[in-house]
Amino acid sequence: MDIDLTRTDIIKIVQYAVGGRVSLIGVNLSGLDLSKLKLSSVDFSFACLKNVIFSRANLCHSKFQEVDAENTIFHDATVSE
């Protein structure tokens, strides 16, 4: 299964998001290293996040409804609400 976006794509999407909200609903991000990124208020609902690395990422106010996060790493990630 091919991933839908790259780390560079995610950085650009978040950087240019209007109002700071990003929707990545249902995308396949399997295997990406998203560590140390500011991903607050991102909606990852229904996404495939298998083997994704979120180490030291800012995930405050992000949504993870019904995600497939098998073997995903959240080491030292900032998560709230």
Side-chain angles (χ1 to χ4, degrees):
M1 188 184 264
D2 293 331
I3 60 170
D4 294 329
L5 300 167
T6 65
R7 178 182 170 94
T8 303
D9 293 334
I10 300 295
I11 291 168
K12 288 177 183 176
I13 290 168
V14 170
Q15 185 176 16
Y16 297 109
V18 176
R21 299 210 178 257
V22 174
S23 177
L24 296 175
I25 296 172
V27 298
N28 179 12
L29 302 176
S30 296
L32 287 183
D33 180 353
L34 300 177
S35 58
K36 301 179 184 176
L37 295 181
K38 184 177 185 279
L39 300 170
S40 56
S41 300
V42 174
D43 189 348
F44 292 103
S45 296
F46 307 100
C48 183
L49 303 175
K50 290 181 181 180
N51 303 305
V52 172
I53 302 170
F54 285 114
S55 295
R56 298 187 188 114
N58 180 346
L59 299 167
C60 292
H61 307 288
S62 291
K63 296 179 183 178
F64 291 93
Q65 179 183 350
E66 300 289 328
V67 298
D68 183 353
E70 183 179 340
N71 297 318
T72 296
I73 299 170
F74 292 94
H75 180 73
D76 286 336
T78 304
V79 183
S80 68
E81 295 185 36

